[in-house]
């Protein structure tokens, strides 16, 4: 499809909770400095797949992987890989906002702080909050508890928190599901901006969003990758009828 | 029809409501009566002994001539035990809890947690006996000057005694911290040590603090084990290797003796009890204040 080498590459990947496979034999490249959207009906394994990309599934009991995920060509699940190191490079925004019960400032400064990232922490916090389209709303109350923010603001704070780490790849699990259209539009603008520096994988239920922001789209159903391709092609000339049904159904 | 049956349910509810109210009312009344009696009797005591002598006097000898009513030795004895217990039980208790909630496998937990609860049920006199026959000889082995009855031995066994409670309560507090917070921290490249010490423990701090306050209250209130291990010598000292007497131990000593009701010695009971009550009250208020100030509320 493209001759670029994928920064992440899932090869025949299956992920099981106990005995049941939630993701089945998925082969999916994630291309560098592109936005890859993952779409599909609820429960089809999008979050499960996404979590496997930065080893967050390690914390869920009973999860097992078969197949491979390559990060720049080397096995992400190899014995000698430090998952902490991997998560430094591959950040994540969760489906449900999960700010720390700390101040707004300390939420954003926390990750860079414990990892002793270089530079001025204040600047880092400001930049990240601006990128996440939250700065204007919180600049005068950085020391307030993050839990006093609205749900949408909390989600943008979590985005800022991930951005402050300046990872190479950012995994976003429905980052806009709790946001109003204005904030959503700002996050989408942000994604275009971020694409210059970062690789982004975004799970979304919003077809327009996937069509608007992503370069590539993967459609999952029941844990199976039905179709993967350039977003234009997937939305306008899908190869599979199931993709077409899903995509047009949602376009309504 | 429906109206009728609803009516009858309301009747039951209103009766229950009254019963509950009565229970609440009774407990408030009981407390009020206890406080009232304490204060009344303490005031009688202060007719014979000045408040300054009582609060700042350095000798406590109400049972021996020349009689002297300075409560400081009992306060010092109590403080010695409390500080010892806190130093022992709090760090170890929190460490146990961290292990239980963050590192132990489900299987290990299912064994350790009930064991802790059983430990918490051992009668305190057993701990006192354990102090006398095991801990004290052990201490004297290393520091031969140690008195047979000493505060250190008492503090150690009371520390062991409250440890299960502290560990169990702190474990509950840590486990109540939502998993999503841990995941958020891990996703920012934190190690499990960083997640534990910088996200989970701070988020569980209010529960940890509650456990701490309870542990200290128990240390103040513990009588049997302390008397057995630390003796009954009112002694204004901060040396844990000497025999001391705590406030509660004194109350027991006099209550069990043949002190006639109404005598001045008898009145000392109420004065000491009032100080005890005030101490626990202040501790609780202080605890609540600290908790409000430092806790991280989640959700
Ligand atoms: N912790 C878990 N333990 C067991 N099964 C799980 C767990 N998490 C998810 N599953 C199952 O795995 C399947 C995929 O779940 P997943 O959360 O990945 O779906 P999703 O595509 O993200 O759905 P949604 O769009 O609703 O977020 C579902 O059938 C779900 O029930
Ligand atoms: Mg999901």
């Amino acid at each position: 499809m493209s001759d670029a080498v994928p920064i992440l590459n899932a090869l025949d990947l299956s992920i099981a909770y106990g005995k049941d496979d939630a993701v089945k034999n998925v082969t999916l490249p994630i291309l560098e400095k592109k936005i890859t959207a993952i779409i599909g009906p609820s429960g089809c394994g999008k979050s499960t797949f996404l979590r496997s990309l930065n080893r967050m599934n390690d914390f869920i009991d009973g999860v097992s992987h078969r197949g491979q995920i390559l990060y720049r060509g080397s096995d992400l699940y190899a014995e000698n890989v430090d998952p902490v190191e991997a998560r430094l490079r591959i950040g994540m925004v969760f489906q449900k906002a999960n700010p720390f019960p700390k101040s707004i400032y300390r939420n954003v400064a926390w990750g860079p702080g414990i990892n002793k990232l270089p530079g001025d922490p204040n600047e880092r916090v400001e930049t990240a909050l601006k990128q996440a389209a939250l700065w204007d709303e919180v600049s005068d109350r950085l020391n307030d508890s993050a839990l006093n923010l609205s749900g949408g603001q909390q989600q943008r704070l979590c985005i800022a928190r991930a951005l402050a780490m300046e990872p190479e790849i950012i995994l976003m699990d429905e980052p806009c599901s709790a946001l109003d259209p204005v904030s959503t539009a700002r996050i989408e603008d942000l994604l275009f901006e971020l694409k210059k520096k970062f690789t982004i994988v975004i799970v979304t239920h919003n077809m327009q969003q996937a069509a608007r922001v992503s370069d590539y789209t993967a459609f999952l159903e029941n844990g199976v990758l039905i179709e993967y391709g350039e977003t234009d092609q997937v939305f306008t000339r899908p190869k599979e009828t199931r993709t077409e049904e899903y995509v047009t159904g949602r376009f309504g | 029809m429906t109206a009728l049956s609803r009516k009858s349910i309301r009747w039951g509810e209103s009766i229950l409501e009254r019963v509950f109210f009565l229970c609440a009312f009774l407990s408030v009344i009981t407390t009020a009566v206890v406080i009232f009696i304490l204060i009344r009797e303490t005031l009688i005591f202060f007719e014979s002994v000045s408040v300054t002598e009582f609060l700042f006097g350095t000798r406590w000898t109400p049972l021996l001539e020349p009689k002297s009513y300075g409560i400081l030795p009992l306060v010092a004895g109590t403080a010695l035990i409390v500080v010892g217990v806190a130093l022992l039980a709090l760090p170890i208790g929190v460490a146990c809890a961290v292990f239980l909630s963050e590192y132990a496998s489900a299987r290990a937990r299912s064994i350790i947690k009930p064991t802790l609860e059983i430990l918490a049920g051992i009668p305190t006199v057993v701990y006192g006996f354990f102090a006398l026959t095991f801990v004290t000889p052990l201490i004297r082995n290393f520091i031969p000057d140690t008195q047979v009855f000493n505060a250190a031995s008492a503090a150690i066994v009371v520390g062991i005694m409250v440890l299960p409670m502290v560990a169990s309560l702190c474990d509950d507090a840590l486990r109540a911290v939502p998993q999503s917070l841990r995941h958020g921290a891990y996703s920012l490249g934190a190690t499990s040590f960083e997640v534990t010490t910088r996200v989970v423990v701070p988020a569980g701090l209010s529960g940890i603090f509650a456990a701490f306050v309870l542990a200290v209250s128990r240390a103040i209130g513990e009588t049997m084990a302390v008397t057995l291990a630390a003796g009954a010598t009112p002694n204004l000292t901060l040396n844990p290797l000497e025999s001391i007497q705590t406030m509660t131990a004194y109350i027991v000593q006099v209550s069990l003796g043949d002190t006639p009701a109404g005598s001045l010695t008898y009145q000392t009971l109420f004065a000491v009890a009032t100080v005890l009550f005030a101490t626990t009250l202040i501790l609780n208020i202080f605890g609540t204040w600290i908790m409000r100030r430092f806790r991280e509320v989640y959700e």
Side-chain angles (χ1 to χ4, degrees), chain A residues 42-43 45-48 51 95 173-174 203 205:
Chain A
S42 186
K46 304 181 295 295
S47 299
T48 305
R51 281 197 300 266
Q95 192 162 0
D173 199 342
E174 290 184 58
V203 168
H205 278 293

Side-chain angles (χ1 to χ4, degrees), chain A residues 21-168:
Chain A
D21 280 355
V23 170
K24 297 162 193 156
N25 305 96
V26 168
T27 295
L28 178 64
I30 306 294
L31 299 185
E32 194 165 7
K33 303 206 171 147
K34 301 285 180 210
I35 300 181
T36 305
I38 302 178
I39 59 173
S42 186
C44 71
K46 304 181 295 295
S47 299
T48 305
F49 176 77
L50 200 68
R51 281 197 300 266
S52 73
L53 298 180
N54 69 340
R55 298 199 53 170
M56 286 305 294
N57 278 337
D58 290 15
F59 304 112
I60 297 177
D61 285 337
V63 174
S64 59
H65 293 81
R66 275 170 291 125
Q68 272 193 321
I69 296 174
L70 301 182
Y71 165 75
R72 295 192 184 282
S74 62
D75 186 359
L76 188 65
Y77 282 79
E79 279 292 325
N80 61 353
V81 170
D82 179 5
V84 172
E85 174 84 31
R87 287 180 213 116
L88 273 177
R89 302 192 195 180
I90 311 171
M92 183 163 218
V93 178
F94 295 82
Q95 192 162 0
K96 271 207 287 207
N98 56 350
F100 300 130
K102 301 178 189 293
S103 72
I104 294 169
Y105 180 91
R106 291 221 289 151
N107 259 279
V108 184
W110 195 83
I114 59 161
N115 290 298
K116 304 198 177 55
L117 300 190
D120 178 13
N122 295 340
E123 235 167 69
R124 202 178 262 278
V125 170
E126 183 173 338
T127 312
L129 285 171
K130 279 181 176 159
Q131 284 178 325
L134 187 59
W135 176 253
D136 294 341
E137 287 153 69
V138 301
S139 59
D140 55 346
R141 49 172 177 146
L142 291 176
N143 291 319
D144 276 14
S145 168
L147 301 179
N148 293 341
L149 297 175
S150 74
Q153 289 172 325
Q154 289 188 6
Q155 187 60 300
R156 276 177 284 157
L157 181 67
C158 291
I159 294 175
R161 188 172 74 176
L163 293 176
M165 296 296 297
E166 298 185 4
E168 290 173 57

Side-chain angles (χ1 to χ4, degrees), chain B residues 50-94:
Chain B
S50 79
V51 177
T52 351
E53 185 194 340
F54 177 66
L55 287 182
F56 302 108
T58 55
R59 269 168 45 81
W60 181 258
T61 53
L63 305 172
L64 302 168
E65 296 296 339
K67 294 197 173 180
S68 181
Y69 301 95
I71 199 177
L72 280 185
L74 295 187
V75 172
T78 307
L80 212 50
I81 301 292
V82 165
V83 170
V85 169
L87 285 181
L88 196 77
L90 196 66
I92 302 180
V94 172

